[in-house]
Amino acid sequence: MTAIVNALKQRTANAANASLPVQSATTVSSATPLLEDNERDQWENDLVDNDPLLETQSNTSSQYARSYKRLLSLLLAPVTDERGHGWAVVLGITTIFITGTVLGLIMPKNPHLPTVWYRTISSCIGYTYFISWSVSFYPQLLANYRRRTTRGLSPDFCALNVLGFACYATYNVAMYGSPYIHKLYRERYGNDAEITVQSNDVAFAVHAFLLASLTLFQIGYYDGFRSQTPSRFIGKVLLAVISLILAFPIVIYWRIWKSNWLDFVYVLSFVKIFVTMIKYVPQVILNFQRKSTAGWSIWQILLDLNGGLLSDLQLVLDATALQDFSGITGNLAKFFLGFVSIVFDAIFMVQHYALYRSDANDSGDDSGSILTSENVNDDISSGLVV
């Protein structure tokens, strides 16, 4: 297109020179340019607008640019979409699987698994669930930021989430990286027993604790805890659980009953299971009371469901490959974390897609949203996305 514009400019300049009187030719050639910079830019724009060929090429380029932008938004739907419909879900989840598989192929494998090919499969499953669960925290954070409010998000859920992941992060770090805990584990389950906590479990738990804390901070920053105060019942639950956690090391130190630090680590995992079993209940009740899921990110649920399914799948397959199901009984936190998440995610999906479907898209100010169901459908109908 640049060549066409240059040719047309040269042709116009030649015509203008030819129309000048002969005696002024030298004066014109030595004078200032015929057009100033701003006049030249306007002339070029008018030239493109009035030329059918250049206008068609410009429209085609703009159309393809918009299509590529929307396709990119579809692939990045977990953090760009706020509705969770159609091709956004399909391509968004596909992106998660592709990313997890690539990481699983290039990252170190678990040397304790029996065969090379299964180590690769387990690694791909592990990193895919790690990506799913890790990314699941960002849609809610971004939705709160775009809307400048946390209305529709339960403060009880957020407070319990921080406590639960604090315990889960400590549990995973200890089980994965503490030689003393490894020693106690083998004394209890046998010298050949392998701890099934992997590096991606540690990375996820620490990352989840940080993101859950940031989400709780958003409640105080955007709306204030006075307007969104955790309930008294959840406050009492938090106080009781924290008291138990702080009291258990005293029990170990004074040897009030036979227990050790492995038991304390298991207590933390049981706290995480307990918190996971109750933390979603306040959000379910809040959605029911409001008859809406607006303000509660559906992508958080879709990714959480995907992560829960793959987490439990990896745990069962690893135990089967090792022919040692103590890997499940010795890592109940991971198994029940996935199972309970699946159950509640199913409830949230029913609320979003069936019970309160008419209000699900009323998410406040959508000005920051890149992707909408309308422009996705437009692209699909024109054959530009599929």
Side-chain angles (χ1 to χ4, degrees):
M1 186 170 69
T2 302
I4 295 174
V5 172
N6 290 335
L8 290 173
K9 288 169 61 178
Q10 184 63 40
R11 184 175 63 187
T12 304
N14 292 339
N17 290 334
S19 64
L20 291 174
V22 175
Q23 63 270 22
S24 62
T26 57
T27 305
V28 172
S29 62
S30 61
T32 56
L34 293 175
L35 297 173
E36 297 296 335
D37 290 342
N38 58 345
E39 294 175 337
R40 184 184 301 110
D41 293 339
Q42 182 61 41
W43 177 80
E44 290 177 359
N45 292 333
D46 293 341
L47 184 63
V48 172
D49 292 338
N50 295 328
D51 190 293
L53 176 60
L54 296 181
E55 185 178 1
T56 301
Q57 292 177 344
S58 177
N59 290 339
T60 302
S61 299
S62 178
Q63 185 179 21
Y64 278 111
R66 288 195 300 269
S67 299
Y68 286 134
K69 180 180 179 180
R70 291 172 183 173
L71 178 59
L72 180 62
S73 295
L74 282 169
L75 294 175
L76 299 178
V79 293
T80 60
D81 177 35
E82 291 186 356
R83 293 171 173 82
H85 295 314
W87 284 96
V89 173
V90 174
L91 293 183
I93 296 296
T94 299
T95 301
I96 296 295
F97 270 94
I98 292 173
T99 305
T101 300
V102 171
L103 283 177
L105 292 174
I106 64 178
M107 295 298 286
K109 315 298 186 294
N110 186 352
H112 302 296
L113 295 175
T115 61
V116 175
W117 70 270
Y118 180 70
R119 292 173 192 170
T120 302
I121 292 176
S122 178
S123 179
C124 291
I125 294 175
Y127 278 99
T128 301
Y129 101 71
F130 163 71
I131 293 293
S132 294
W133 266 349
S134 297
V135 175
S136 70
F137 292 89
Y138 288 95
Q140 187 66 59
L141 278 170
L142 294 175
N144 296 341
Y145 173 75
R146 284 191 287 257
R147 298 167 63 240
R148 297 297 192 274
T149 180
T150 55
R151 297 292 182 181
L153 177 62
S154 169
D156 291 343
F157 164 79
C158 292
L160 290 169
N161 215 24
V162 172
L163 174 63
F165 279 113
C167 294
Y168 192 54
T170 305
Y171 164 80
N172 277 295
V173 169
M175 292 290 282
Y176 181 79
S178 172
Y180 181 66
I181 296 298
H182 293 177
K183 175 178 174 294
L184 294 176
Y185 186 88
R186 291 187 174 91
E187 287 177 356
R188 180 170 300 184
Y189 295 103
N191 292 329
D192 296 331
E194 293 294 338
I195 297 176
T196 55
V197 174
Q198 300 188 29
S199 59
N200 54 279
D201 297 317
V202 177
F204 160 72
V206 174
H207 176 265
F209 168 69
L210 295 176
L211 271 293
S213 301
L214 184 57
T215 304
L216 183 63
F217 169 79
Q218 284 184 319
I219 293 180
Y221 181 77
Y222 288 126
D223 298 294
F225 288 106
R226 289 186 177 181
S227 61
Q228 287 184 282
T229 306
S231 66
R232 291 184 179 181
F233 173 75
I234 295 300
K236 292 178 181 179
V237 171
L238 291 172
L239 180 61
V241 171
I242 293 174
S243 299
L244 172 64
I245 294 172
L246 295 177
F248 204 88
I250 299 176
V251 171
I252 296 175
Y253 181 79
W254 290 102
R255 298 181 180 179
I256 297 177
W257 66 75
K258 188 176 181 180
S259 58
N260 55 36
W261 288 106
L262 179 61
D263 296 312
F264 175 68
V265 171
Y266 278 139
V267 166
L268 295 179
S269 71
F270 294 147
V271 169
K272 172 56 182 170
I273 294 172
F274 170 73
V275 168
T276 302
M277 291 176 64
I278 67 171
K279 72 176 183 179
Y280 293 109
V281 175
Q283 187 65 53
V284 172
I285 295 174
L286 182 62
N287 293 345
F288 172 76
Q289 291 174 339
R290 299 171 66 239
K291 298 296 186 290
S292 173
T293 58
W296 173 246
S297 174
I298 187 59
W299 271 103
Q300 179 177 225
I301 302 308
L302 295 172
L303 294 172
D304 191 52
L305 175 63
N306 191 52
L309 290 170
L310 293 177
S311 174
D312 280 357
L313 177 64
Q314 184 197 42
L315 191 61
V316 172
L317 291 179
D318 284 358
T320 303
L322 292 168
Q323 296 183 348
D324 180 13
F325 285 90
S326 66
I328 296 178
T329 58
N331 194 6
L332 287 175
K334 181 177 180 179
F335 180 79
F336 279 103
L337 179 62
F339 178 77
V340 175
S341 297
I342 292 169
V343 173
F344 278 100
D345 290 338
I347 295 174
F348 286 122
M349 291 177 70
V350 170
Q351 285 185 323
H352 183 82
Y353 290 111
L355 297 180
Y356 315 129
R357 185 175 182 179
S358 60
D359 293 325
N361 293 339
D362 183 18
S363 56
D365 182 10
D366 286 352
S367 59
S369 179
I370 299 175
L371 186 65
T372 62
S373 57
E374 289 82 2
N375 59 37
V376 171
N377 292 333
D378 292 343
D379 278 348
I380 292 174
S381 63
S382 61
L384 295 176
V385 171
V386 295

